[in-house]
Amino acid sequence: RISNVLLCNVTDRVSFWFVVTDSSQNVTTVPESEVEAAIRMNRERINSAFLLSDKTLQFLKITSTLSPPVEPSTPVWLIVFGVVICLIVAGIVFLVVAGIQQRKKKNKESTERENLEEKGEVTVTVENGIPCETLDLKAGHINGVFAADDERFTSL
Amino acid sequence: LSVPPEIPKEDGRPKWDNKFQYILSCIGFAVGLGNVWRFPYLCQIHGGGAFLIPYFIALLFEGIPLLHLELALGQCLRKGSIGAWNTISPYLGGVGIGSWMVSVLVSLYYNTVLTWVMWYFINSFQEPLPWSVCPLNENRTGFNEECHESTAVNYFWYRKTLNITPDVTESGTLQWWLILCLATCWAIVYLCTIRGIETTGKAIYVTAIFPYLVLTIFLIHGLTLPGAMDGLAYLFTPNLNTLKNPRVWLDAATQIFFSLSLAFGGLIAFSSYNPPKNDCEKDAVTVAIVNSMTSLYASIPVFSVLGFKATTGYWDCLDRNIISITNEFDLPEESIMRQNYTAWISFLNSSYPEKIAGLKLKSCDLQEFLDQSVSGTGLAFIIFTQAIILMPGSQAWAILFFIMLFSLGLSSMFGNIEGVFTPLLELRIISKSIPKELLSGIICLICFLIALCFTLGSGSYWIDIFDSYAGSLPLLVIAFFEVIGVAYVYKIKRFSKDVKWMTGRKPNLYWQITWRFISPLLLLIVFVAFVTLQIQKPPSYAAWNPKYEGFPMKEKKIYPLWVLAICVLLAVLPCVFVPLVALFHLIKRMCRSKDPSFVPPEVFSCQGANS
């Protein structure tokens, strides 16, 4: 039943001319512009029918429209940027707070040391190799030989 | 009375946690973006392996002596650049101020380069990579015209990243995405330098070591790519004829000088935190050799990838020609392959010359593709990104590459910021009660606000200006005065005694000769040659102008007068402090010498400060 195939201009590659006829209207050929528009819209289906692509199946005088690249709703780079900036801000806050705490501790220590020094002498005086502070602060050991009876001593 | 044991004088100066941290910081400061994108380019255009000869001569007679000088100076005087030079001699105080000024100017624009790296990094997480495809035009029948005429990578760099204007006088608008990335970069710098070397010392372990890991990964992968061997052969084939060109020697000397980050004051700051008795001679030699070895090591993966890119470009060119010929002559598929292309072309040219001429085929030459050499940002953001698209798993390679560039730049930024920070801490203008965190925050904030100018449309032209004028000439002048100052004002005999006190042995003949004669002479020659080359032709720049006839070639334009004035200002401003301060002190002394009660200050010595 193959009746509409004519051979001409044989080439080494698979190529063909075709016309589209409209059988419902007295076998007239459909004009070129309509065929072009139809092919443009259904390019994908025609390609897949031949198992070819835009690169391997070429329609002369019909340039293919290209599909735009897929773009997510939020650009990916903004998400990555958000992650990076959160990490950095967290690091800065941590270091600043740690620095403030360290400084408060150092201030407290230095004020304690100042108060101690005001009570005793300013410099550490040394008596017989023992700092006076320890002599002052530590409770003395009562020597029983000397401080035993008050009756030994004559009352004044 | 018993006497408490002698305690060493605690001067409250921060210290390195260990020696390794200090060496790593110096190496990180010296090893920067230039090792990756300038040294391989110089090797390529100056005769491959033959370039190593002037490079190592310059290293031996200029790089290592100057490095040792700076490290010994900082260690002995235990002050930043301004304080150190004021101590050596008040007349030389201008050298310190000049160093400080250069560090400020370089910090400003260097971080903007890191901004671009960060922008590419956060865009590398997309599939497909945004610089691999052109966006479509309005009616979706083809690609955006600017993109189609150049390439997708060019379009992404010039339009999507920089949004560049066609002229340096047209400022354009602030690019909000670059502002975000700039803020991020300065925040990272603040995070790492918040307490001076206490924090950079910890950060340097990552930023200095990580690039070596990535370079090794790229080396292994690069060597497996097709065409890598062509690239490497092209890089290393020595062509000794180039040594006759004095330009080669000049480039070697300047490359060594800028690569080691001399005269910034950052090295003086780093070594000032050392204990006084430290072997600075060994440190200097170590840092210089590691820096040069890194340059060589980095050029291998760079050139493997460039060879791969050239080969792929060559194959693409061949394939396009093959398709046109196959279509024109209606030949069966795969009758022409890359291997028999030349045979087919000669056959067809002899039989159908008019048809072949009508096809307007591009001549494909591998050598031409290899010759497309670029240095600087073009290498990283155009050529390398193009090569990465061709590799399988491109996202991973892109992410690795840009993190590596970021670490390399960040560790250099630490040195720059330390060169700004340390002298400010010692100046008596800043009161002692200001916490370090606040001072570093103020410095980073001010630098961020000034660097916003570089996010304008014309920003990349301004960065080129800063790089060529502020980051080159003043350094040569300052280094020259450094060597002269130490050798002839402070006197080499005193300096040798100080170095002997620090390292335990007297500097040998090599150091004496280089410090006294060879290095100053070499610096003078380099300076004169540099200036001569600059003034020979009017300074021009290459502008990206889509409306230019020769587009996608860049349009060569000349700087207008007011821009030239800024260039001269940038180059002269740091240098002018050297004579100004000397003059100021001279006048002060002349006024004071009329006053009989004036007692001259006592002579300074390294041991005196520390024993």
Side-chain angles (χ1 to χ4, degrees), chain A residues 13 66 81 88 91 95 103, chain B residues 140 184 188 195 327 437:
Chain A
R13 311 166 92 193
L66 305 154
F81 173 76
I88 295 167
L95 280 177
R103 198 159 293 117
Chain B
R140 294 217 235 133
T184 315
I188 295 182
R195 283 200 217 121
N327 278 343
E437 287 91 337

Side-chain angles (χ1 to χ4, degrees), chain B residues 229-241:
Chain B
M229 287 307 154
D230 291 314
L232 284 177
Y234 187 66
L235 168 70
F236 284 120
T237 316
N239 176 14
L240 290 164
N241 285 324

